[in-house]
Amino acid sequence: MRISCLNGAESMKWKGVSPVVRLNHKVCHKGVSVSKKAMWKVEARSERNPLLAKWDILIRPV
């Protein structure tokens, strides 16, 4: 199921550009949260599209 979802995401294009899709093999534990300080650092690098602020977020690498 997961591999077929990845293949579907890889085949999507926007303006002729395909996304980079990777499968994460790390285990995510429930109840783990990000501190406010760490979240501020992510927010400082993020740009939101004013028309799609909830859905379209670009996070620049460090």
Side-chain angles (χ1 to χ4, degrees):
M1 175 69 180
R2 289 182 184 170
I3 300 302
S4 64
C5 292
L6 289 178
N7 292 339
E10 288 175 335
S11 67
M12 295 179 186
K13 289 189 178 188
W14 185 71
K15 293 187 178 183
V17 180
S18 297
V20 176
V21 180
R22 294 185 189 113
L23 181 61
N24 183 356
H25 293 283
K26 294 180 181 178
V27 176
C28 297
H29 301 284
K30 287 185 175 184
V32 177
S33 61
V34 179
S35 70
K36 286 185 180 184
K37 185 177 180 179
M39 197 61 196
W40 287 336
K41 290 179 181 180
V42 174
E43 285 290 330
R45 298 186 342 251
S46 65
E47 299 173 21
R48 295 180 184 267
N49 180 332
L51 300 176
L52 299 169
K54 184 176 179 181
W55 306 107
D56 187 9
I57 303 170
L58 174 65
I59 302 174
R60 301 258 181 219
V62 178

